Short mmCIF file of all heavy atoms in Angstrom, two decimals:
data_model
loop_
_atom_site.label_atom_id
_atom_site.label_comp_id
_atom_site.label_asym_id
_atom_site.label_seq_id
_atom_site.Cartn_x
_atom_site.Cartn_y
_atom_site.Cartn_z
N SER D 1 23.08 -1.02 -2.04
CA SER D 1 23.37 0.10 -2.95
C SER D 1 23.01 1.44 -2.29
O SER D 1 23.39 2.51 -2.83
CB SER D 1 22.52 -0.07 -4.23
OG SER D 1 21.16 0.12 -3.99
N MET D 2 22.33 1.41 -1.16
CA MET D 2 21.96 2.61 -0.48
C MET D 2 22.96 2.85 0.65
O MET D 2 23.43 1.99 1.33
CB MET D 2 20.55 2.50 0.12
CG MET D 2 19.52 2.23 -0.96
SD MET D 2 17.82 2.05 -0.29
CE MET D 2 17.51 3.71 0.30
N SER D 3 23.34 4.11 0.82
CA SER D 3 24.42 4.44 1.76
C SER D 3 23.99 4.39 3.21
O SER D 3 24.81 4.14 4.08
CB SER D 3 24.98 5.85 1.47
OG SER D 3 23.95 6.84 1.61
N GLU D 4 22.71 4.59 3.50
CA GLU D 4 22.24 4.63 4.87
C GLU D 4 21.31 3.45 5.18
O GLU D 4 20.69 2.89 4.29
CB GLU D 4 21.50 5.90 5.13
CG GLU D 4 22.36 7.21 5.08
CD GLU D 4 23.43 7.25 6.21
OE1 GLU D 4 23.17 6.67 7.29
OE2 GLU D 4 24.49 7.84 5.98
N ILE D 5 21.23 3.08 6.42
CA ILE D 5 20.25 2.14 6.89
C ILE D 5 18.90 2.87 6.90
O ILE D 5 18.75 4.00 7.25
CB ILE D 5 20.62 1.62 8.30
CG1 ILE D 5 21.90 0.82 8.22
CG2 ILE D 5 19.47 0.81 8.93
CD1 ILE D 5 22.46 0.46 9.62
N PHE D 6 17.87 2.10 6.47
CA PHE D 6 16.55 2.74 6.35
C PHE D 6 15.50 1.92 7.08
O PHE D 6 15.72 0.78 7.45
CB PHE D 6 16.18 2.89 4.86
CG PHE D 6 16.35 1.53 4.12
CD1 PHE D 6 15.36 0.57 4.08
CD2 PHE D 6 17.51 1.35 3.42
CE1 PHE D 6 15.51 -0.59 3.43
CE2 PHE D 6 17.68 0.12 2.74
CZ PHE D 6 16.69 -0.83 2.73
N GLU D 7 14.37 2.57 7.32
CA GLU D 7 13.26 1.84 7.92
C GLU D 7 12.76 0.82 6.85
O GLU D 7 12.78 1.08 5.65
CB GLU D 7 12.12 2.80 8.29
CG GLU D 7 12.45 3.71 9.47
CD GLU D 7 12.60 2.92 10.74
OE1 GLU D 7 11.86 1.98 10.99
OE2 GLU D 7 13.52 3.27 11.53
N PRO D 8 12.25 -0.34 7.30
CA PRO D 8 11.75 -1.34 6.37
C PRO D 8 10.74 -0.75 5.39
O PRO D 8 9.86 0.04 5.79
CB PRO D 8 11.13 -2.38 7.29
CG PRO D 8 11.90 -2.30 8.56
CD PRO D 8 12.20 -0.80 8.70
N ILE D 9 10.92 -1.06 4.13
CA ILE D 9 10.04 -0.55 3.08
C ILE D 9 9.16 -1.63 2.52
O ILE D 9 9.62 -2.68 2.11
CB ILE D 9 10.94 0.07 1.93
CG1 ILE D 9 11.86 1.15 2.47
CG2 ILE D 9 10.05 0.56 0.78
CD1 ILE D 9 12.90 1.59 1.45
N THR D 10 7.87 -1.38 2.54
CA THR D 10 6.92 -2.36 2.01
C THR D 10 7.07 -2.50 0.49
O THR D 10 7.18 -1.50 -0.22
CB THR D 10 5.47 -1.94 2.32
OG1 THR D 10 5.33 -1.85 3.74
CG2 THR D 10 4.48 -2.94 1.79
N ILE D 11 7.07 -3.71 -0.02
CA ILE D 11 7.19 -3.99 -1.46
C ILE D 11 5.86 -4.51 -1.96
O ILE D 11 5.46 -5.64 -1.55
CB ILE D 11 8.33 -4.97 -1.75
CG1 ILE D 11 9.66 -4.41 -1.26
CG2 ILE D 11 8.39 -5.29 -3.22
CD1 ILE D 11 10.83 -5.35 -1.43
N ASN D 12 5.19 -3.76 -2.78
CA ASN D 12 3.92 -4.20 -3.32
C ASN D 12 4.06 -4.86 -4.65
O ASN D 12 3.18 -5.57 -5.14
CB ASN D 12 2.97 -3.00 -3.43
CG ASN D 12 2.64 -2.46 -2.04
OD1 ASN D 12 2.34 -3.17 -1.15
ND2 ASN D 12 2.70 -1.10 -1.91
N GLU D 13 5.21 -4.60 -5.32
CA GLU D 13 5.44 -5.18 -6.69
C GLU D 13 5.79 -6.65 -6.55
O GLU D 13 6.11 -7.17 -5.49
CB GLU D 13 6.59 -4.44 -7.34
CG GLU D 13 6.35 -3.00 -7.66
CD GLU D 13 6.54 -2.11 -6.44
OE1 GLU D 13 7.03 -2.62 -5.44
OE2 GLU D 13 6.12 -0.93 -6.50
N LYS D 14 5.65 -7.36 -7.72
CA LYS D 14 5.95 -8.76 -7.75
C LYS D 14 7.40 -9.05 -8.06
O LYS D 14 7.82 -10.22 -8.08
CB LYS D 14 5.05 -9.44 -8.78
CG LYS D 14 3.56 -9.41 -8.44
CD LYS D 14 2.76 -10.11 -9.55
CE LYS D 14 1.27 -10.14 -9.15
NZ LYS D 14 0.47 -10.82 -10.20
N SER D 15 8.18 -7.96 -8.30
CA SER D 15 9.59 -8.13 -8.63
C SER D 15 10.39 -6.95 -8.05
O SER D 15 9.81 -5.95 -7.66
CB SER D 15 9.84 -8.25 -10.11
OG SER D 15 9.50 -7.01 -10.76
N VAL D 16 11.72 -7.19 -7.96
CA VAL D 16 12.59 -6.09 -7.46
C VAL D 16 13.77 -5.99 -8.46
O VAL D 16 14.14 -6.95 -9.09
CB VAL D 16 13.06 -6.37 -6.06
CG1 VAL D 16 12.00 -6.25 -5.04
CG2 VAL D 16 13.79 -7.75 -5.99
N SER D 17 14.38 -4.81 -8.45
CA SER D 17 15.57 -4.60 -9.28
C SER D 17 16.73 -4.45 -8.32
O SER D 17 16.71 -3.67 -7.36
CB SER D 17 15.43 -3.32 -10.14
OG SER D 17 16.63 -3.12 -10.87
N ILE D 18 17.79 -5.25 -8.57
CA ILE D 18 19.00 -5.15 -7.75
C ILE D 18 20.09 -4.46 -8.58
O ILE D 18 20.41 -4.94 -9.66
CB ILE D 18 19.49 -6.55 -7.29
CG1 ILE D 18 18.41 -7.28 -6.55
CG2 ILE D 18 20.67 -6.38 -6.38
CD1 ILE D 18 18.80 -8.67 -6.08
N LYS D 19 20.59 -3.39 -8.06
CA LYS D 19 21.60 -2.63 -8.79
C LYS D 19 22.90 -3.39 -8.92
O LYS D 19 23.10 -4.41 -8.20
CB LYS D 19 21.87 -1.32 -8.11
CG LYS D 19 20.66 -0.34 -8.14
CD LYS D 19 21.05 1.03 -7.58
CE LYS D 19 19.84 2.01 -7.69
NZ LYS D 19 20.14 3.32 -7.10
N SER D 20 23.71 -2.98 -9.81
CA SER D 20 25.00 -3.63 -10.05
C SER D 20 25.80 -3.79 -8.76
O SER D 20 25.89 -2.85 -7.94
CB SER D 20 25.80 -2.79 -11.04
OG SER D 20 27.15 -3.22 -11.06
N ARG D 21 26.34 -4.99 -8.56
CA ARG D 21 27.21 -5.33 -7.44
C ARG D 21 26.52 -4.85 -6.09
O ARG D 21 27.13 -4.12 -5.32
CB ARG D 21 28.58 -4.72 -7.58
CG ARG D 21 29.26 -5.27 -8.84
CD ARG D 21 30.72 -4.93 -8.96
NE ARG D 21 31.23 -5.58 -10.13
CZ ARG D 21 31.45 -5.05 -11.30
NH1 ARG D 21 31.07 -3.83 -11.54
NH2 ARG D 21 31.93 -5.73 -12.33
N SER D 22 25.34 -5.33 -5.91
CA SER D 22 24.55 -5.00 -4.69
C SER D 22 23.81 -6.21 -4.22
O SER D 22 23.69 -7.25 -4.92
CB SER D 22 23.59 -3.88 -5.01
OG SER D 22 24.25 -2.69 -5.38
N SER D 23 23.27 -6.10 -2.98
CA SER D 23 22.53 -7.19 -2.34
C SER D 23 21.26 -6.64 -1.83
O SER D 23 21.16 -5.47 -1.39
CB SER D 23 23.30 -7.82 -1.27
OG SER D 23 24.58 -8.26 -1.66
N LEU D 24 20.23 -7.45 -1.76
CA LEU D 24 18.94 -7.12 -1.11
C LEU D 24 18.59 -8.20 -0.11
O LEU D 24 18.75 -9.42 -0.35
CB LEU D 24 17.80 -7.02 -2.12
CG LEU D 24 17.70 -5.85 -3.07
CD1 LEU D 24 16.37 -5.95 -3.83
CD2 LEU D 24 17.79 -4.55 -2.32
N LEU D 25 18.13 -7.76 1.06
CA LEU D 25 17.55 -8.68 2.07
C LEU D 25 16.10 -8.24 2.24
O LEU D 25 15.87 -7.09 2.65
CB LEU D 25 18.31 -8.63 3.37
CG LEU D 25 17.63 -9.37 4.54
CD1 LEU D 25 17.47 -10.85 4.23
CD2 LEU D 25 18.47 -9.21 5.82
N ILE D 26 15.18 -9.13 1.98
CA ILE D 26 13.74 -8.87 2.07
C ILE D 26 13.16 -9.84 3.06
O ILE D 26 13.41 -11.06 2.96
CB ILE D 26 13.08 -8.94 0.67
CG1 ILE D 26 13.71 -7.85 -0.27
CG2 ILE D 26 11.58 -8.74 0.75
CD1 ILE D 26 13.21 -7.95 -1.66
N ILE D 27 12.31 -9.35 3.94
CA ILE D 27 11.76 -10.22 5.03
C ILE D 27 10.24 -10.12 5.02
O ILE D 27 9.66 -9.04 4.84
CB ILE D 27 12.32 -9.75 6.38
CG1 ILE D 27 13.83 -9.85 6.42
CG2 ILE D 27 11.72 -10.58 7.54
CD1 ILE D 27 14.44 -9.33 7.71
N SER D 28 9.63 -11.28 5.23
CA SER D 28 8.15 -11.33 5.35
C SER D 28 7.72 -10.57 6.60
O SER D 28 8.36 -10.64 7.66
CB SER D 28 7.70 -12.76 5.41
OG SER D 28 6.35 -12.81 5.80
N LYS D 29 6.63 -9.89 6.48
CA LYS D 29 6.08 -9.12 7.63
C LYS D 29 5.72 -10.12 8.79
O LYS D 29 5.67 -9.69 9.96
CB LYS D 29 4.85 -8.31 7.23
CG LYS D 29 4.47 -7.22 8.19
CD LYS D 29 3.40 -6.33 7.61
CE LYS D 29 3.05 -5.20 8.57
NZ LYS D 29 1.99 -4.32 8.06
N GLU D 30 5.52 -11.35 8.44
CA GLU D 30 5.25 -12.37 9.46
C GLU D 30 6.37 -12.45 10.50
O GLU D 30 6.13 -12.64 11.70
CB GLU D 30 5.07 -13.75 8.79
CG GLU D 30 4.83 -14.89 9.78
CD GLU D 30 4.75 -16.22 9.08
OE1 GLU D 30 4.75 -16.24 7.84
OE2 GLU D 30 4.65 -17.24 9.77
N VAL D 31 7.63 -12.26 10.01
CA VAL D 31 8.77 -12.34 10.89
C VAL D 31 8.76 -11.18 11.90
O VAL D 31 9.26 -11.31 13.03
CB VAL D 31 10.06 -12.34 10.07
CG1 VAL D 31 11.31 -12.27 11.00
CG2 VAL D 31 10.10 -13.55 9.19
N PHE D 32 8.18 -10.03 11.55
CA PHE D 32 8.19 -8.83 12.38
C PHE D 32 7.30 -8.99 13.62
O PHE D 32 7.50 -8.33 14.62
CB PHE D 32 7.77 -7.60 11.62
CG PHE D 32 8.87 -7.07 10.72
CD1 PHE D 32 9.34 -7.74 9.64
CD2 PHE D 32 9.41 -5.81 11.04
CE1 PHE D 32 10.31 -7.25 8.84
CE2 PHE D 32 10.41 -5.29 10.22
CZ PHE D 32 10.89 -6.00 9.15
N GLY D 33 6.34 -9.91 13.53
CA GLY D 33 5.45 -10.18 14.66
C GLY D 33 4.36 -9.13 14.80
O GLY D 33 4.21 -8.22 14.01
N ALA D 34 3.56 -9.33 15.86
CA ALA D 34 2.38 -8.47 16.07
C ALA D 34 2.76 -7.02 16.31
O ALA D 34 1.98 -6.10 15.99
CB ALA D 34 1.61 -8.99 17.27
N LYS D 35 3.94 -6.77 16.88
CA LYS D 35 4.33 -5.41 17.16
C LYS D 35 4.91 -4.68 15.92
O LYS D 35 5.26 -3.54 16.00
CB LYS D 35 5.36 -5.42 18.27
CG LYS D 35 4.82 -5.87 19.62
CD LYS D 35 5.90 -5.77 20.70
CE LYS D 35 5.34 -6.23 22.04
NZ LYS D 35 6.35 -6.12 23.12
N ASN D 36 4.97 -5.44 14.82
CA ASN D 36 5.48 -4.87 13.57
C ASN D 36 6.87 -4.24 13.72
O ASN D 36 7.14 -3.17 13.20
CB ASN D 36 4.45 -3.85 13.06
CG ASN D 36 4.67 -3.53 11.56
OD1 ASN D 36 5.20 -4.42 10.81
ND2 ASN D 36 4.36 -2.35 11.11
#
């Protein structure tokens, strides 16, 4: 739903809202590794 690519955003909430006709990809910080 966002026009630009953004830096990964930390999600502290227990839920997320997905806008109409949109997709979210959320990744565990574990995947980013030690270098974050």
Side-chain angles (χ1 to χ4, degrees):
S1 70
M2 301 177 69
S3 60
E4 293 293 332
I5 294 170
F6 50 85
E7 290 295 321
I9 300 171
T10 301
I11 299 176
N12 295 315
E13 296 80 10
K14 295 181 179 181
S15 65
V16 290
S17 178
I18 305 181
K19 291 185 179 179
S20 167
R21 300 191 175 97
S22 298
S23 305
L24 287 187
L25 171 59
I26 298 174
I27 301 177
S28 167
K29 197 171 182 180
E30 177 183 355
V31 175
F32 281 68
K35 294 183 180 180
N36 198 27

